[in-house]
Amino acid sequence: MTGMPLSLHGFPLRKSVQEISVNGDEPSPEFHGFPLVLLIFLHQFQSPLLILAIGQGISNSFLNKVRGVAKQFFQLPQEEKQKEVLHEYSIKLKQLVDLLFKAMAKSLAFEENSFSDQFGDNPPHSDRSWITVLLQDEQVEGLQFVKDEKWITVPVIPHALVVNLGDQMLIMSNGIFKSPVHRVVTNTDKLRISVAMFNEVEPEKEIGPVEGLIDENR
Ligand SMILES: O=C(O)CCC(=O)C(=O)O
Ligand SMILES: [Fe+2]
């Protein structure tokens, strides 16, 4: 197993991500002990990459501990007052922004929902980071990304980390590694908590394509 080559052109998976997800299976034994298993959704080189990293050496129980801490943080009783205020503030801001988009559409003589129809609560975007690592909720899905002009829901695999390239990587690789467009579809029935780590270049630092990746074509 350890000699298995990693390839961007698809990983020799016995089961598809969907199968593992639907059945809630552990990854098959040949993946055990392998430092990093990358289930590559979009495995065509030079297309946007979104990776589910399992068997990455972080135990499932530790990942659950992180989720637990995140949940506790949002449930802290002494935070109740601040939470109410922030919740109210976010609702008011949402109304303000909705109004603004409607006014902007109308100012161009478009139907008022022309802009706002195109996004939900977490509008389609690519991350500005160079790489984002996301611990999804262990039960509630919601993250979607674009593939072939369709929205694909990222399956919930409790022990997987979602690894997502951002725009800074797109710039540094001169467009070779693209940042996938994604969104989160919210769910009014179930609480969904995700823990994201955005790895970003320092704000003052100017970045550009790595020299060897610039030629007359790109
Ligand atoms: O909640 C998620 O799964 C992802 C959120 C996201 O895309 C972001 O914060 O940039
Ligand atoms: Fe994002």
Side-chain angles (χ1 to χ4, degrees), residues 2-196:
T2 37
M4 188 185 282
L6 274 179
S7 156
L8 276 176
H9 291 269
F11 199 82
L13 281 176
R14 296 268 166 85
K15 287 186 174 185
S16 71
V17 174
Q18 279 78 3
E19 278 176 299
I20 292 175
S21 161
V22 168
N23 300 328
D25 289 351
E26 285 289 318
S28 35
E30 71 261 30
F31 292 137
H32 292 167
F34 194 69
L36 184 66
V37 175
L38 304 175
L39 306 183
I40 298 176
F41 262 102
L42 303 177
H43 46 75
Q44 266 174 346
F45 193 53
Q46 300 206 1
S47 70
L49 277 183
L50 190 124
I51 296 163
L52 286 176
I54 60 174
Q56 36 0 43
I58 308 176
S59 72
N60 211 8
S61 58
F62 185 74
L63 293 180
N64 281 335
K65 209 182 255 183
V66 174
R67 288 191 181 99
V69 168
K71 274 188 189 143
Q72 274 170 22
F73 178 79
F74 285 102
Q75 283 162 2
L76 282 178
Q78 64 267 37
E79 301 280 322
E80 208 54 59
K81 269 265 142 354
Q82 287 107 301
K83 265 194 336 197
E84 274 169 28
V85 172
L86 289 178
H87 184 62
E88 198 179 328
Y89 180 58
S90 70
I91 289 173
K92 286 185 193 308
L93 279 192
K94 176 97 173 58
Q95 288 166 347
L96 175 74
V97 169
D98 285 348
L99 196 71
L100 188 66
F101 277 126
K102 283 184 179 156
M104 287 166 83
K106 279 184 160 172
S107 76
L108 299 173
F110 290 155
E111 205 279 310
E112 64 175 19
N113 292 327
S114 306
F115 293 126
S116 53
D117 271 357
Q118 297 197 32
F119 48 79
D121 284 342
N122 184 307
H125 66 282
S126 55
D127 290 346
R128 71 170 190 193
S129 59
W130 60 269
I131 203 164
T132 303
V133 183
L134 187 74
L135 177 63
Q136 287 205 96
D137 196 283
E138 75 271 48
Q139 285 171 344
V140 185
E141 57 186 28
L143 179 64
Q144 298 185 328
F145 70 99
V146 178
K147 185 175 193 261
D148 302 332
E149 295 176 17
K150 289 203 187 87
W151 286 107
I152 310 282
T153 298
V154 178
V156 163
I157 302 180
H159 47 280
L161 293 170
V162 178
V163 182
N164 181 17
L165 296 183
D167 296 340
Q168 292 169 4
M169 196 57 185
L170 175 110
I171 293 168
M172 289 188 286
S173 70
N174 202 13
I176 289 179
F177 296 121
K178 297 195 168 54
S179 42
V181 172
H182 56 283
R183 68 179 182 186
V184 175
V185 178
T186 45
N187 182 323
T188 49
D189 303 329
K190 293 184 195 145
L191 176 71
R192 175 182 181 274
I193 287 186
S194 58
V195 183

